[in-house]
Every structure is written in structure tokens, then in C-alpha cells.
Amino acid sequence: MDSIYIYGGNFLRGETKIQGSKNAVLPILAASLLVRGTCVIKNCPRIADVYLMQNLLQELGCFVSWAGNTVTVNAFHVNDRRISGESVTRMRSSVMLLGAALGRLGEATMAYPGGCVIGRRPIDIHLSALRKMGVEIEEQEQLFTAKAKRLHGAEIRLPFPSVGATENVVLAAVTADGTTVLENAAKEPEIEALCGFLTAAGAEIEGTGKNCIKIKGVERLHDAKYEVPADRIVAGTYLTAALAAGGSIFLEGAPAGQMGALLAAAEKMGACVTAGVEGIGVDVIRKLKALPYLKTEVHPGFPTDLQSPLMAALSIAQGQSVIEESIFENRFRIVDDLKKMGADIEVVKNKAYINGVEKLEGAGVEAEELRGGAALVVAGLAAEGKSVVRNRHFIERGYENICKDLRNLGADINIM
Ligand code: UD1
């Protein structure tokens, strides 16, 4: 029922258009809470995590409507300060609502956010940064309450450039009193998208994409329209599918400028990549080479979200690859399933040693989280025979229509 069926072993050929970015749209939807008016957000992917964020906004009193892939949020009347319920525990990015609710209401009570099972994922960096802006936090067992009599600008240095903490500080700072200077900020492209949306709504932000962001608080934000950029992780997943299965594909709208680390890895493996403003073309005509060493890093380094999909491709590359995971400690959960398909992988602490095998064989496997689940689909496309990836709901948290997209690329793949 909740499965994806794949008949693998065929080359991929064709083109597909890349959906809007999940990690960009979630903080943008949270940001719409700061606008006493209407925000129109185009190119919004219809994925489970977006629907969870929609539920949370509606619980707070916002009106949310869809037309195709355009979402309109009206946050004129916000009547609740409690951000709780199942949606919060199911999705880590619900924590984005904290900065936005503090900016709008000066107070929020929230359940501790959940999300993928890829590591501890605490929110200590978020909370200590917000404390510097005048926020008092009272922690209870399941919930915490954050209150600010007066939310004010501050000089903050993050101990680690956390994506979520950077977004929360920006959200809290745009309508705070005074200026916030955020050092050691994350530089992920999704932060530029959030700042692009907030600037369209009247915020004053300098230095996005750099490690020091300066935010001058404004009195209020106004109505805004914004188009969500293409999803670099979805594009990267399909690119790894071509690396694994071989063939010749074009990813329309893929944001090549944000994908340098993956494109460099693909070229090192022997793929031919053409990247331009229209998208990315990939040709894989011979067996690819292993990558002697690859480490996941903050942007512009190799993204942790593409580590598992690339591992699936490396499992049939020639030679030994070593991947070091430096962002999330629990991101090798797919190894047992890849082994079930014939892969030869050994994990020692945060390093995976992948000895490329001749081929993978189809098997029944189980998605346990979003990107790992997508990686099993990549493996299934390369494997000979039938694979069944169960728990597709994890994959649907981030991929609008993975089966249709991959069918556009010639894959034999369906949901059941
Ligand atoms: C975001 C992305 C996720 C991506 C990750 C890293 C969204 C919705 N999710 O997640 O897809 O994999 O960036 O690029 O955009 N940490 C702490 N304390 C904190 C915050 C983070 O210890 O308060 C740790 C985390 O446990 C993790 C590391 O810092 O080990 C990176 O986390 P962070 O950059 O915050 O990632 P997310 O915003 O959760």
C-alpha cells in the first residue's frame, strides 16, 4: 500500500522539471506569520511537510489557500500562541514558527520539534541565540514557552552555523527593536531564499549568503509575492539516479550554481555534466569510478542530504569510496538495506567504506527517513529486477512526485 515498486537495471533517458525547494518554502511559510496581510508564494511543492506547516499556520489562525502550486497565506488575524499538536512532533522545521511567532506575538508555547530519525537534533543553538534577543524560555517536559517583553536586536555568534538557528534569528530580528548582527551564520541557499522573501515584504537585511548577516528591525512587514527556487536536493537525487543507473538526462531548472559540490563529485566519478541557466544535463556512458574520500560539510561543501543518494551510486562504482558524515551522526541507516541488495559497505563510527560491487539486485527494503528513502529508490533504479521500497510516506515528505519525475526519465517505477 505505502510502497514504491521499481523494475531497475535500465538506463535513464529524458528530462524532468525540478519542483520548488522544501527547505526554502518551509521557513518562508513560517515567515508569512510576520505579515499582517497576504503573502502569495509561487512554485510551492505539494509535499507532506508543506501540508504540516499549513496545518500549523491554520491552527494559529491564518487562512491558507492553494491554486495549483501557488499558496496564499493571510495572517491578518493570528489568535493563538500555542504551537503544538502532532504536526510539531512530526516535523523539525516547525521550530521555524518560534522566531516568527515571537516576532508577531512576543510569545509562543511549543512542543519540542520532531522530524527525521537522523540524529539527536537538539535546538539549544536556537534557544541561546533567541535569549540574547530578550527572549525568556521556560522549559517543561514536553513543551517550552518563549516570551519576550521587548524583542531587541543583538550581536550573536552561533557556535555552529546551524541552518535552522540562522533562520530563527532572522525571523525574530526582522521586526525586533534595533539591529541584529549574526555571525557564523549558515550560508545555505535556502537562507538566501528566506531573506529574499522577507526583503520583498519590506525587511532590511544585508549579507545573506555570507557568514555575517545584518538585520535592521522594521516597524512592520507588508504584503509580498515570492517564487520559491528549485530544490537542489531533489535535483541532486535525480542526478545520483543517473550516476547509479547510467544514461543521459536533463534536469530542467536544476539550480547548478547551488550544486557545485555534487557536480564536482559526479565529474570526478567520470560522468559528463553540462550545467547552465536552463538546468543540468548528465551523461553516464561507462562504469563510474569510486570517490576515494568525500566528507559532508556545511554549504558550499557536500550536502548531508545527498550523502545517502550518492552512497547508493557509489555502491556500484569501481573501487573503494570513503564517506565521512560530519553533520548528522545517524545518517548511515540505509546501509543494511543496501547490503540486502548486494552492496559491500562497512561503517566505522562516522565513516562508511564502500567497496564497489559489479551490480545490485532488486530487494524489498524499508525507508526509515526522507533522504535515505530516496536513496533506496536510487539503488532500486540501478539494481537488476524488482525492488519494493516500503514506507513511501517518508519520501513524500520532500518529493512532490518522485515516481512521475523518474518515469519522465524513462524509469519503470510506480506507487502501490
Ligand atoms: C536543515 C535542513 C536539513 C539539512 C540540514 C543541514 C531544513 C528544513 N532542514 O536542518 O534538510 O540536512 O539543515 O544542512 O532546512 N544542532 C545542534 N543544536 C541546534 C541546532 C542544530 O546541535 O540548536 C546540530 C544538529 O543536531 C545537527 C547540526 O547541528 O547535527 C546541523 O543542524 P542544522 O544546520 O540546524 O540543520 P536543520 O536546520 O535541522
Side-chain angles (χ1 to χ4, degrees), residues 192-271:
E192 282 192 71
L194 171 65
C195 293
F197 168 77
L198 287 166
T199 304
E204 291 189 24
I205 305 173
E206 278 173 32
T208 44
K210 306 212 172 79
N211 56 11
C212 178
I213 304 181
K214 199 168 165 186
I215 308 123
K216 192 168 157 214
V218 295
E219 194 64 35
R220 59 194 295 149
L221 299 181
H222 54 67
D223 292 0
K225 278 191 187 155
Y226 190 75
E227 181 159 342
V228 178
D231 195 311
R232 65 189 169 107
I233 305 300
V234 170
T237 305
Y238 299 163
L239 195 150
T240 62
L243 298 180
S248 176
I249 64 165
F250 183 73
L251 302 170
E252 189 190 334
Q258 303 174 1
M259 295 173 62
L262 175 66
L263 301 189
E267 282 181 331
K268 248 193 198 162
M269 291 170 73

Side-chain angles (χ1 to χ4, degrees), residues 127-390:
L127 299 185
S128 70
L130 291 171
R131 279 190 180 106
K132 294 207 168 95
M133 301 180 72
V135 179
E136 283 175 21
I137 291 153
E138 227 178 81
E139 302 195 51
Q140 294 130 40
E141 213 165 281
Q142 307 286 336
L143 296 168
F144 64 94
T145 299
K147 274 188 203 167
K149 279 197 197 92
R150 180 182 146 258
L151 197 61
H152 58 76
E155 289 193 8
I156 301 168
R157 186 178 175 83
L158 299 181
F160 171 84
S162 152
V163 174
T166 299
E167 291 168 342
N168 248 333
V169 170
V170 170
L171 287 164
V174 281
T175 52
D177 285 348
T179 298
T180 299
V181 179
L182 179 63
E183 288 193 68
N184 202 25
K187 292 186 282 195
E188 268 64 8
E190 293 74 25
I191 290 156
E192 282 192 71
L194 171 65
C195 293
F197 168 77
L198 287 166
T199 304
E204 291 189 24
I205 305 173
E206 278 173 32
T208 44
K210 306 212 172 79
N211 56 11
C212 178
I213 304 181
K214 199 168 165 186
I215 308 123
K216 192 168 157 214
V218 295
E219 194 64 35
R220 59 194 295 149
L221 299 181
H222 54 67
D223 292 0
K225 278 191 187 155
Y226 190 75
E227 181 159 342
V228 178
D231 195 311
R232 65 189 169 107
I233 305 300
V234 170
T237 305
Y238 299 163
L239 195 150
T240 62
L243 298 180
S248 176
I249 64 165
F250 183 73
L251 302 170
E252 189 190 334
Q258 303 174 1
M259 295 173 62
L262 175 66
L263 301 189
E267 282 181 331
K268 248 193 198 162
M269 291 170 73
C272 177
V273 178
T274 41
V277 281
E278 304 287 315
I280 298 175
V282 195
D283 290 290
V284 180
I285 45 174
R286 63 181 78 83
K287 195 153 178 70
L288 294 180
K289 292 181 289 213
L291 289 175
Y293 177 71
L294 178 119
K295 183 179 178 185
T296 60
E297 282 168 301
V298 296
H299 192 76
F302 192 89
T304 175
D305 286 352
L306 288 174
Q307 184 259 104
S308 298
L310 186 67
M311 179 189 275
L314 289 172
S315 69
I316 45 170
Q318 254 169 352
Q320 189 188 61
S321 304
V322 179
I323 298 183
E324 180 172 348
E325 173 57 60
S326 76
I327 309 290
F328 290 111
E329 70 269 27
N330 209 0
R331 252 200 163 155
F332 289 139
R333 293 172 72 98
I334 61 158
V335 167
D336 285 345
D337 272 336
L338 288 179
K339 281 181 170 170
K340 218 169 155 185
M341 299 172 89
D344 176 359
I345 304 171
E346 197 194 343
V347 174
V348 182
K349 294 188 180 153
N350 67 336
K351 287 200 183 112
Y353 297 83
I354 305 146
N355 298 305
V357 293
E358 200 50 45
K359 60 183 171 90
L360 295 180
E361 291 194 0
V365 290
E366 202 137 325
E368 291 182 65
E369 41 94 11
L370 166 60
R371 304 301 173 189
L376 293 174
V377 171
V378 169
L381 293 170
E384 278 181 14
K386 178 177 163 186
S387 292
V388 180
V389 181
R390 289 184 288 274

Side-chain angles (χ1 to χ4, degrees), residues 23 92 121-126 162-164 304-305 327-328:
N23 288 355
R92 176 163 169 92
R121 306 189 91 177
I123 55 166
D124 53 319
I125 302 175
H126 301 237
S162 152
V163 174
T304 175
D305 286 352
I327 309 290
F328 290 111

